[in-house]
Amino acid sequence: MARLVSRVVLRHGWPRTRGRLPGMPVATDVEIARDRWGIPHISAGSFPDLLCAQGFVHAQDRLWQMETLRRLCAGRLSEVAGRAALGLDWFSRAAGFAEMRRRSAAAMSDEEASLCQSYADGVNACVAGMGKRLPLEFATLHLAPEPWTVEDCAAVLPYVSFVQTFWPWAAKLLAISQAGRLTEEEWNDMFPVFPGTVLKHDPWFDRAAGLKFGSIRPEALSFHSGLSPQGTGSNNWTVAQGADGLPLLSDDPHMGASLPAVWYFCHLRVPNAVNAAGTSIPGSPGVVLGRTERAAWGVTNFMLDAADVLTYRLDPADPRRYRTPDGYRVMEERPVTIGLPGGQAATLPLFVTVKGPVVTTLEKGVTAAAVMHWYGTRPEDGLRDHTFQAVFRFMKAGCANEILDAARSWKYLSMNFVAADAAGHIGWQVSGGAPVRTGYTGRLPGDASAGDDWTGWVPPEDLPRVQDPAEGFLATANCPPQGFPGAVGLSCYWCVPYRQDRIRSALRAMDRPGVADFAALQMDVHSLQADRLLPLLARFTLRDPRAVEAARLLAEWDRELTAESAGAALFEVFLTEIRRSLLGERLGSDLHLYFNALSYPIENEIFERPRSPWWKGDPPRIIEKALVDSMMFCESRMGRNRRRWRWGRLHRHAFHHRGATSRAAAWLMDPTSLPAAGDSSTVNVSWSQPSLGSYEVTTVPSMRLIASLGNPDGLSVALPLGQSGQPGHRHYDDLLPLWWKGDLVPLPLTEEGVRAVARERLVLSPR
């Protein structure tokens, strides 16, 4: 009923998908054939016309999403969202998002800029054709979008770049907030690093003693509070020999549970020149992840740590004077004036040092300040991002090596690229601008007053790369690369190894897997974390009857994190409560920062460290408290009958339209929520943020993709929600049930394959 009412009430600016549209900015006719899911197959006579048509279909289906991302990058969300977005706008401007966008556009060759302009021409032609029939959000706000530009095409880069650094950023701000109150041993136990990593003494703990910082500005954490909390994991893997003897590749990037989906599927073709299909990002040209006729590629977050906190010692008599190695300087004051609806504006303070913007308050009595130091706050010093050059090369790639070579052009985005080709080759390449630091490791804040800084960049050729490994497969899941000792210096914020270990174990057991085998692995929810932790938990003697019952329920559980499992619900709540029991009293209101910094949480190592100061000398009693609190939480949410407990009752996929601020609007615009399996450690990922008081899923596989190089039409995909971002449209959430069940839809590349799936045809004509 809600779907029918939505289609009637919300229909506004829905796209035309049949017939012929004359007067388009193309040189010759361009055909857009859509399948039953709204996925466009675009065929053009030239590359510029192809990208023009891609810009056109992006604007048809995702114009509001594109507008939102553009405004976020420019620090102009508040103009339409009001005061609730002031923090995000302040952060965007302080972090230099617009400057990063400008630099990316300036680094383009004339050809790349021309291609991006063709894409922008397509966006603008679509908007012009809509006239006053703009999508619902524009109509409601009486807003007309400004013309799309080449710089707007690059708006996604600073946003995704910072999303990748959520964990290190939150952890370093926590170090500032807790300066002088935590010992090095406590910090190391609270933030364990990857097994086998040897940590040297960090000078932060010597320097922090006696420093008095102001409070963390709330705007500095606006990406955690103002957007959907996001994990930044992902899985990808490939085997050299699939069922047909040629490579098979899988990819599922993990991103925020946003509505609409992050990605947009498409197939772009110029006869004898370009034939690429896969995922694109609305607002930017090209196929970012996917395959060509002879090669395929996917990515995961490499976990490069490139967002630092540096500290300055201040003049006690004037907190705006900060000490540098060359003497005192005065902070530059740059008040940020942000537009609001109705022509109003708000002004927020911003103080800037030579190393970046200040993110702590400067009230009387503080003796130190923390500043943000990353790509967007540094001067233009030799790091040139060429993401679009790489994307255009991907779309013409004929082998895995061409993809890996092109990947080195990505600077703002640090990824594990896994590639495969129809000649049987597979490979892996790390991308990104990796800083070389002096004076500190980056794991904790550096001391800019003592000269700590970035001094250059790791050469791209020194970043990890592997081709045709002897074991016949490659898999990455946000863990440090094996066999590359130098990679330890690139980050200390890796994910726990459970997903990667599970994937590698499964691949070793597979003999020439097919698409169905990879699809099943993508949906795997067995908890290696439970396999490891529950036997350790069983070593402790418990006295409280409720804790004993909880331990028994966990011991009887099969360790599958299915949505129907009671044991899964209890285990997941226990993981939250053990963190609260261990850390809550000491961290106080900063506990939320810890939950936002979770890449490798404390519970994964603490049971094997009985002498850790976090146990306060009595591990069994802390464990008992966490188990009892877990039982009480489950009873309060699901009742006293244990047989009615289900992980999926607590843990649900719920996608929310940001404009649905009332119950009626949510009924019309939000898809039905679904019970969710898995957690952050399972191959089928579904992260939540329990510090927010809910186990609602906040991070999901943002798409799933499997490419079979032995089949020219061998590309299968899945997307949460649908291709359209327009509420009520039939493609708004029609892919959600398939994605939830683990089903895939075909995305063919051949003319025959396209004819078989095409349901609607639209021609863009110059005449």
Side-chain angles (χ1 to χ4, degrees):
M1 182 63 178
R3 186 184 299 268
L4 177 61
V5 175
S6 294
R7 288 183 178 178
V8 174
V9 174
L10 302 177
R11 185 181 182 96
H12 206 288
W14 289 3
R16 179 178 172 181
T17 55
R18 298 175 186 269
R20 178 180 293 270
L21 286 177
M24 294 291 105
V26 292
T28 59
D29 285 359
V30 178
E31 182 182 83
I32 303 168
R34 292 180 183 253
D35 69 9
R36 63 173 296 191
W37 310 108
I39 299 174
H41 296 260
I42 305 174
S43 182
S46 69
F47 204 11
D49 282 0
L50 185 71
L51 297 182
C52 177
Q54 186 189 27
F56 185 90
V57 298
H58 277 172
Q60 280 189 307
D61 291 330
R62 300 286 189 89
L63 186 61
W64 180 247
Q65 180 185 28
M66 293 162 60
E67 178 71 15
T68 301
L69 182 59
R70 169 167 68 170
R71 286 181 173 275
L72 174 63
C73 181
R76 295 179 57 196
L77 272 176
S78 301
E79 293 175 12
V80 295
R83 292 185 176 275
L86 284 174
L88 282 169
D89 283 343
W90 182 94
F91 185 88
S92 173
R93 298 189 192 189
F97 281 8
E99 176 64 11
M100 292 172 67
R101 178 184 65 178
R102 184 198 65 77
R103 291 179 186 178
S104 291
M108 295 180 190
S109 67
D110 291 343
E111 180 184 12
E112 293 157 19
S114 178
L115 290 171
C116 286
Q117 184 61 58
S118 295
Y119 174 91
D121 290 343
V123 174
N124 295 329
C126 179
V127 173
M130 291 177 180
K132 295 183 178 181
R133 295 186 65 257
L134 290 164
L136 175 71
E137 296 89 347
F138 290 95
T140 302
L141 294 167
H142 306 289
L143 179 70
E146 298 168 3
W148 207 257
T149 68
V150 171
E151 280 195 16
D152 291 332
C153 293
V156 68
L157 299 178
Y159 167 71
V160 176
S161 182
F162 190 78
V163 163
Q164 292 182 126
T165 67
F166 266 21
W167 295 329
W169 177 244
K172 294 167 192 178
L173 290 182
L174 177 61
I176 293 294
S177 188
Q178 291 285 323
R181 286 181 276 176
L182 293 176
T183 67
E184 186 167 9
E185 181 183 7
E186 288 171 331
W187 185 269
N188 290 345
D189 284 354
M190 187 167 64
F191 287 101
V193 292
F194 203 82
T197 303
V198 178
L199 287 176
K200 298 179 180 179
H201 170 67
D202 197 293
W204 163 254
F205 297 96
D206 303 322
R207 296 166 170 173
L211 294 180
K212 183 179 179 182
F213 291 90
S215 57
I216 305 294
R217 288 187 61 92
E219 298 89 351
L221 281 168
S222 57
F223 260 58
H224 299 81
S225 58
L227 299 173
S228 297
Q230 303 188 44
T232 53
S234 299
N235 308 314
N236 65 5
W237 63 85
T238 185
V239 296
Q241 290 191 319
D244 55 11
L246 288 175
L248 195 65
L249 180 143
S250 169
D251 192 26
D252 59 293
H254 307 153
M255 300 186 75
S258 61
L259 192 163
V262 173
W263 307 100
Y264 181 95
F265 290 131
C266 60
H267 170 210
L268 306 180
R269 180 175 178 268
V270 176
N272 303 315
V274 176
N275 194 6
T279 62
S280 61
I281 298 178
S284 296
V287 172
V288 180
L289 308 172
R291 68 164 295 177
T292 64
E293 293 176 359
R294 296 192 55 80
W297 68 101
V299 300
T300 65
N301 184 358
F302 178 67
M303 309 296 285
L304 177 70
D305 182 5
D308 281 357
V309 172
L310 295 177
T311 64
Y312 278 112
R313 294 166 196 153
L314 304 179
D315 181 347
D318 182 358
R320 297 185 188 182
R321 294 184 73 236
Y322 62 101
R323 195 171 84 195
T324 75
D326 300 318
Y328 277 98
R329 299 184 63 153
V330 178
M331 296 176 187
E332 182 183 353
E333 187 172 2
R334 300 179 191 168
V336 178
T337 300
I338 300 169
L340 292 167
Q344 298 182 335
T347 300
L348 300 179
L350 174 63
F351 296 94
V352 180
T353 70
V354 292
K355 297 302 179 188
V358 177
V359 295
T360 50
T361 57
L362 297 173
E363 64 265 21
K364 184 178 180 180
V366 299
T367 62
V371 305
M372 182 184 191
H373 188 71
W374 88 305
Y375 300 136
T377 65
R378 290 181 58 84
E380 207 161 355
D381 55 358
L383 187 69
R384 298 287 186 272
D385 180 79
H386 293 284
T387 295
F388 291 101
Q389 177 193 93
V391 170
F392 297 149
R393 290 174 65 188
F394 295 160
M395 295 171 63
K396 299 178 180 181
C399 65
N401 269 348
E402 290 179 9
I403 290 168
L404 302 183
D405 289 344
R408 288 175 170 172
S409 299
W410 284 32
K411 301 301 181 184
Y412 290 153
L413 305 179
S414 181
M415 301 289 187
N416 291 294
F417 276 85
V418 165
D421 64 37
H425 299 294
I426 61 175
W428 160 60
Q429 172 72 57
V430 172
S431 71
V436 176
R437 298 177 174 94
T438 183
Y440 72 120
T441 65
R443 182 178 182 231
L444 285 149
D447 185 357
S449 291
D452 292 358
D453 199 359
W454 295 3
T455 57
W457 310 99
V458 175
E461 58 272 17
D462 289 349
L463 294 175
R465 179 166 177 155
V466 168
Q467 294 168 268
D468 296 326
E471 57 186 343
F473 70 84
L474 289 163
T476 76
N478 321 116
C479 298
Q482 298 179 354
F484 291 88
V488 173
L490 301 178
S491 180
C492 291
Y493 291 93
W494 310 102
C495 284
V496 287
Y498 305 120
R499 282 185 290 115
Q500 181 163 289
D501 289 350
R502 182 72 172 170
I503 293 167
R504 287 181 170 172
S505 176
L507 293 178
R508 290 189 184 101
M510 290 181 183
D511 182 20
R512 295 202 173 191
V515 172
D517 299 305
F518 273 21
L521 182 54
Q522 287 179 338
M523 296 300 290
D524 183 87
V525 291
H526 183 79
S527 176
L528 287 187
Q529 184 181 37
D531 285 346
R532 178 166 180 258
L533 298 188
L534 291 183
L536 298 175
L537 186 65
R539 297 176 184 176
F540 295 91
T541 302
L542 307 174
R543 298 182 304 210
D544 189 299
R546 294 168 296 176
V548 172
E549 181 190 9
R552 177 182 59 78
L553 291 172
L554 290 174
E556 294 171 353
W557 172 46
D558 63 5
R559 302 173 189 175
E560 295 288 326
L561 283 165
T562 63
E564 298 77 25
S565 173
L570 181 60
F571 178 70
E572 293 297 321
V573 175
F574 171 72
L575 295 181
T576 300
E577 297 306 326
I578 192 64
R579 295 171 201 157
R580 294 190 197 278
S581 296
L582 289 164
L583 307 175
E585 182 179 340
R586 287 286 303 280
L587 296 187
S589 61
D590 282 342
L591 186 62
H592 77 99
L593 274 175
Y594 181 74
F595 275 92
N596 275 311
L598 291 186
S599 58
Y600 204 131
I602 188 172
E603 69 269 11
N604 291 286
E605 304 294 338
I606 197 69
F607 294 111
E608 294 185 299
R609 298 178 184 176
R611 298 186 183 278
S612 170
W614 290 111
W615 287 119
K616 307 176 186 69
D618 197 359
R621 302 295 77 78
I622 290 178
I623 292 171
E624 277 189 338
K625 180 182 185 317
L627 287 169
V628 170
D629 288 347
S630 301
M631 294 289 283
M632 293 174 63
F633 180 91
C634 289
E635 287 179 352
S636 70
R637 295 296 181 92
M638 296 180 286
R640 297 180 62 85
N641 186 346
R642 288 19 175 185
R643 294 181 180 179
R644 293 179 58 83
W645 291 3
R646 300 286 186 273
W647 178 218
R649 289 183 65 185
L650 299 176
H651 193 55
R652 300 188 68 83
H653 292 297
F655 299 90
H656 302 291
H657 191 289
R658 290 190 171 273
T661 55
S662 68
R663 183 172 296 182
W667 183 75
L668 285 170
M669 301 169 73
D670 290 353
T672 302
S673 71
L674 297 167
D679 71 354
S680 63
S681 72
T682 54
V683 179
N684 182 18
V685 158
S686 57
W687 296 34
S688 54
Q689 275 282 19
S691 64
L692 301 177
S694 169
Y695 285 90
E696 183 176 292
V697 177
T698 58
T699 298
V700 298
S702 59
M703 67 89 178
R704 297 191 184 98
L705 176 152
I706 299 175
S708 175
L709 275 301
N711 177 359
D713 279 331
L715 183 61
S716 303
V717 295
L719 189 73
L721 302 168
Q723 286 282 100
S724 175
Q726 300 194 44
H729 193 277
R730 68 183 185 278
H731 296 314
Y732 185 57
D733 60 357
D734 56 339
L735 285 166
L736 176 57
L738 300 175
W739 170 87
W740 178 63
K741 291 185 293 183
D743 293 337
L744 303 166
V745 301
L747 184 51
L749 282 79
T750 66
E751 291 186 48
E752 297 80 6
V754 173
R755 281 199 299 269
V757 301
R759 297 290 183 89
E760 301 169 309
R761 295 182 187 275
L762 177 70
V763 175
L764 305 185
S765 173
R767 300 175 298 279

